[in-house]
Amino acid sequence: MTAYINKWWTDNGQYCQSGNIPFATCFQQYANISGQDCTINANNVCTPPAYKGLSVQDYYVVWNIYAINQYFNNYWTALGNANTLASESVGNIVLLLNPPKKVNIFLRDLLTALGAAFVFLRVPSNVGQEIQSIGHAIVEATKVAPWVAKVLLPTGTLDSQVTQMANLQQSLGSIINTFQQSVSSTIPAINGNFTAFSAFAATGAFCAGPKDLQIESNSILTSLYTYVISECLKANNVVVTSASPWNGCSPTDTDVIAKNPMDADGICGAMWWESQTNTTYSLNKWDDMGKSYHSEMKTIFANWTTPQALFDGAKTCNGGNTTISESGGQLMPQCMSTARWCDYNMNCFGTDCEFNNCETQGSFGVTDCPGYDTKVKLPQGYGGQYLEVLGAYSNC
């Protein structure tokens, strides 16, 4: 297919360029399709093409012209649909986690958090492509057409602007509107340019056609909420902890600290168990090890994000402070969950080896528990050698 479209451009590109005709429009004219403009973001001006009278190759091209237009049009619409709900929910997240009001968040990081939703939009299995997401396809295409990344995630006025946690809810609407403008501008950047279109169409990711608007809206919200939650946790000096291999929620070792049974979401007390890797995650407030985030986790995972996005994301990124970056003209998906991650040392007993990759908390393992001489201070979600040596319920 790439050879076909390249030859077509060799034969017809000069005509298109001399007439200042955008690539998509020029090819549609060649295919005898009239009354369409798939180079702009507008409703009912770019409709599904009919197969009748077209060769297989020509139909593939005009279908991708339509599908790319509709993908970004849907994304633009989904951003608008998410706007009101996002503002209210972000306010509730800040209220629940109560970070310091004067902590700053860079507006560009919020902007890129909206863009991270691309990585959630998976290509249906029946497409027959080894492409995991639209996001992957966009990354690969922008390596060939780097100016598209610059349109989608522009540098400029938001780069150095910040908002305080207290004003985050009020700032969100303008940030979403800014990203909508970028998404809208992406359509002519791709469909109006042969090189960009060829790179995007070559991935095969758009063959399945436009995605469900509700799925796109949910993806945008999940991405945004995960980022905001992790930033609130960082502001409160809360880290994501992990213990592996260990099931802290197993029936025979039910939540060794809080002694609560595992619920349907995999939460037991202050812990969440990830079954595929046999890893137990928790939230640990650095200056208050005795605090349990059980109720906060229940609310967060019931309303705004998933344990996988928050916990696994933190482990993968470990404090990364951005979600998608445009580097050298390439769109680079990175981190949504920016919380710090600390992995418990499962093979060491002592007050100086709490974690494998973080410093030890100041009061970890000390024995100054009022009225007890056999108990020590441990985090609510702890999983390590102290549990083996001192017994399952040795926390004070």
Side-chain angles (χ1 to χ4, degrees):
M1 190 61 221
T2 300
Y4 175 80
I5 191 67
N6 285 340
K7 184 178 185 309
W8 184 91
W9 184 248
T10 299
D11 295 340
N12 298 277
Q14 185 176 357
Y15 165 76
C16 301
Q17 292 175 317
S18 62
N20 199 27
I21 307 171
F23 163 74
T25 303
C26 198
F27 194 94
Q28 286 175 320
Q29 290 177 359
Y30 163 81
N32 294 316
I33 296 175
S34 60
Q36 300 281 296
D37 190 347
C38 294
T39 64
I40 62 174
N41 180 30
N43 293 326
N44 302 318
V45 297
C46 183
T47 57
Y51 180 75
K52 185 177 181 180
L54 296 176
S55 68
V56 173
Q57 294 92 335
D58 289 345
Y59 183 74
Y60 179 88
V61 175
V62 296
W63 174 263
N64 273 273
I65 289 172
Y66 157 75
I68 290 171
N69 175 283
Q70 290 301 291
Y71 171 77
F72 287 100
N73 177 275
N74 274 11
Y75 203 87
W76 180 88
T77 303
L79 282 164
N81 293 346
N83 199 339
T84 301
L85 183 59
S87 180
E88 179 181 351
S89 294
V90 164
N92 289 333
I93 290 169
V94 172
L95 184 65
L96 174 72
L97 297 178
N98 193 28
K101 301 296 187 294
K102 293 186 178 181
V103 169
N104 289 333
I105 287 184
F106 279 91
L107 299 190
R108 180 167 170 81
D109 286 343
L110 281 167
L111 184 70
T112 52
L114 294 169
F118 287 125
V119 303
F120 282 100
L121 302 178
R122 303 186 69 82
V123 176
S125 58
N126 60 4
V127 174
Q129 299 287 329
E130 293 181 358
I131 298 173
Q132 294 185 349
S133 69
I134 291 288
H136 179 80
I138 292 174
V139 170
E140 293 303 308
T142 54
K143 293 177 182 177
V144 179
W147 58 88
V148 176
K150 294 180 181 294
V151 171
L152 187 58
L153 290 174
T155 57
T157 57
L158 289 182
D159 286 4
S160 59
Q161 290 187 26
V162 298
T163 186
Q164 292 185 342
M165 284 289 188
N167 302 322
L168 181 56
Q169 184 176 5
Q170 290 75 22
S171 304
L172 193 59
S174 63
I175 296 167
I176 290 178
N177 289 336
T178 296
F179 191 60
Q180 275 190 298
Q181 295 171 18
S182 298
V183 170
S184 185
S185 299
T186 302
I187 296 175
I190 298 173
N191 277 354
N193 181 280
F194 166 74
T195 301
F197 172 83
S198 179
F200 276 76
T203 67
F206 295 92
C207 291
K211 302 294 181 287
D212 182 87
L213 267 177
Q214 188 60 50
I215 293 176
E216 293 201 18
S217 296
N218 290 342
S219 298
I220 291 166
L221 292 172
T222 298
S223 174
L224 177 65
Y225 296 158
T226 303
Y227 175 76
V228 172
I229 290 166
S230 62
E231 284 293 303
C232 288
L233 293 174
K234 282 202 304 186
N236 276 336
N237 210 13
V238 176
V239 299
V240 170
T241 62
S242 64
S244 179
W246 182 54
N247 179 1
C249 297
S250 68
T252 57
D253 193 16
T254 303
D255 189 2
V256 294
I257 303 299
K259 296 176 284 187
N260 290 324
M262 184 167 62
D263 63 18
D265 299 318
I267 298 173
C268 63
M271 304 180 189
W272 176 73
W273 179 57
E274 200 276 302
S275 59
Q276 288 188 341
T277 60
N278 192 23
T279 301
T280 300
Y281 289 97
S282 187
L283 295 174
N284 180 355
K285 187 168 176 57
W286 203 257
D287 53 359
D288 185 8
M289 290 193 304
K291 177 173 174 54
S292 170
Y293 278 85
H294 172 80
S295 62
E296 289 89 344
M297 286 164 54
K298 292 286 289 183
T299 301
I300 287 170
F301 300 142
N303 295 284
W304 300 311
T305 188
T306 66
Q308 290 85 352
L310 184 64
F311 292 146
D312 289 347
K315 183 177 180 179
T316 300
C317 300
N318 196 15
N321 56 6
T322 187
T323 51
I324 289 185
S325 66
E326 182 276 310
S327 176
Q330 295 183 18
L331 199 63
M332 305 297 292
Q334 292 176 344
C335 301
M336 278 187 315
S337 180
T338 62
R340 187 185 180 196
W341 163 68
C342 296
D343 186 47
Y344 284 118
N345 190 325
M346 305 292 286
N347 302 306
C348 178
F349 177 73
T351 58
D352 60 346
C353 54
E354 181 181 10
F355 297 110
N356 292 312
N357 61 331
C358 298
E359 67 275 19
T360 298
Q361 293 173 274
S363 57
F364 172 76
V366 300
T367 58
D368 59 343
C369 301
Y372 296 94
D373 58 5
T374 60
K375 293 195 174 188
V376 298
K377 288 185 176 180
L378 301 174
Q380 282 284 329
Y382 175 72
Q385 284 294 299
Y386 272 98
L387 303 180
E388 296 290 334
V389 175
L390 297 179
Y393 305 113
S394 58
N395 192 45
C396 66

